Amino acid sequence: MNIIVCIKQVPNTTNVQIDHETGRLKRDGLESIINPFDEYAIEEGVRIKERVGGKVTVITMGPPQAEAVLREAIAKGADEGVLLSDRAFGGADTLATSYALSTAVRFLGNFDIVICGKQASDGDTAQVGPGIAEMLDIPHVAYVKKVESVDDKTIKVERMMKDGYDLIESSLPVLLTVVKEINNPRVASLKGKMAAKKAVIKVLDAAAIGADVKKTGLNGSPTQVMKIFTPPQRTGGEKFTGEPNKVAVDLVKRLSDLSLI
């Protein structure tokens, strides 16, 4: 079983700032981590490998320092890491990102399951996983909360819904996007950390995977950021204090004065 997990390096902060000139995230000086939802994708890939055998390859697209998240994934049980790094990939929106990652997956070949986290903490679009599947022309299941069974031809999963879950069976190859309810990611072992330190990370550029640079990075991004701004803080408002009965009377009177009731 050949399993590919697509992960992303994101800023380790809730205070995401935007460069108003370029419309991109400001990453300089910020600690970077594995996108939290991708932690569950890595764990599920490793669990499937432990269940049926095979290999887990982790892919990320980013600058050279993104190698760190690949090593962390290897420390947690993945077997290989692949870094897509090229200036041609810079500034990609979700469509261009999906194209680059799907091209890399196709280049690696012979895959059975592709796993992605539900969404990235910096973009929150949840578009890249399904986008990869569409470009690979394979079935995909989103919001997977459990892998019921898997063999060399089919996989059966539970897809989380608002009122329960759907039980879905798919042929392989397939792409899954997983939610945090699917598992509890393991802590890297000492043996895993040693393996990660020794691992050789394969670095591929656009030419190596046969990507059309007209479809990567800014060139391949139809989504253009026209304007970015921080919403102004809310001001004004009234606060009523005192005993509940008095507050209720005062509120009704104020609403009546404003002709709202």
Side-chain angles (χ1 to χ4, degrees):
M1 184 73 63
N2 287 319
I3 304 159
I4 295 178
V5 182
C6 298
I7 68 174
K8 185 179 184 181
Q9 186 183 55
V10 297
N12 185 20
T13 178
T14 56
N15 183 27
V16 177
Q17 297 183 9
I18 304 294
D19 185 323
H20 292 274
E21 295 295 326
T22 64
R24 302 181 194 176
L25 293 176
K26 289 183 179 179
R27 300 180 184 272
D28 294 342
L30 293 177
E31 178 190 4
S32 294
I33 59 171
I34 296 175
N35 173 51
F37 276 108
D38 296 345
E39 295 270 12
Y40 302 98
I42 295 167
E43 175 65 24
E44 199 59 30
V46 173
R47 290 190 182 195
I48 293 173
K49 180 186 74 171
E50 292 173 342
R51 187 189 305 185
V52 300
K55 180 178 70 172
V56 176
T57 301
V58 182
I59 301 178
T60 193
M61 185 178 80
Q65 57 265 34
E67 180 181 306
V69 295
L70 294 173
R71 294 192 183 279
E72 187 175 349
I74 293 172
K76 294 183 177 184
D79 299 288
E80 297 178 354
V82 176
L83 173 61
L84 303 183
S85 190
D86 192 321
R87 289 187 179 276
F89 297 139
D93 68 357
T94 55
L95 182 67
T97 299
S98 299
Y99 170 74
L101 289 171
S102 64
T103 303
V105 171
R106 188 178 288 107
F107 171 78
L108 294 175
N110 192 31
F111 61 92
D112 299 293
I113 303 173
V114 181
I115 309 177
C116 304
K118 182 187 77 167
Q119 63 195 67
S121 62
D122 56 357
D124 283 335
T125 65
Q127 295 174 351
V128 171
I132 294 171
E134 288 299 309
M135 292 181 182
L136 290 173
D137 194 25
I138 61 174
H140 70 274
V141 186
Y143 304 105
V144 174
K145 66 182 287 285
K146 183 179 181 181
V147 175
E148 285 276 0
S149 62
V150 60
D151 57 36
D152 59 351
K153 293 184 179 180
T154 61
I155 188 169
K156 188 179 292 185
V157 302
E158 293 181 6
R159 176 174 63 188
M160 187 171 69
M161 305 294 286
K162 289 183 179 180
D163 56 351
Y165 66 87
D166 293 334
L167 185 61
I168 298 175
E169 184 176 88
S170 172
S171 59
L172 301 183
V174 67
L175 184 143
L176 312 175
T177 63
V178 301
V179 295
K180 61 184 179 63
E181 289 79 6
I182 195 168
N183 58 48
N184 292 307
R186 70 192 69 192
V187 176
S189 64
L190 177 59
K191 181 180 179 181
K193 290 180 180 179
M194 292 176 65
K197 188 175 182 180
K198 297 177 182 178
V200 177
I201 303 299
K202 184 182 294 184
V203 181
L204 301 173
D205 59 15
I209 62 175
D212 181 352
V213 292
K214 293 180 181 179
K215 297 180 180 181
T216 64
L218 287 173
N219 291 333
S221 300
T223 306
Q224 299 294 324
V225 179
M226 305 304 294
K227 182 179 180 181
I228 294 178
F229 64 94
T230 302
Q233 291 186 344
R234 293 183 177 181
T235 59
E238 296 182 42
K239 184 177 182 180
F240 295 88
T241 60
E243 293 296 321
N245 289 340
K246 180 179 182 303
V247 169
V249 171
D250 292 343
L251 178 58
V252 171
K253 183 178 184 303
R254 182 65 176 127
L255 293 174
S256 179
D257 292 341
L258 296 171
S259 299
L260 297 177
I261 59 173

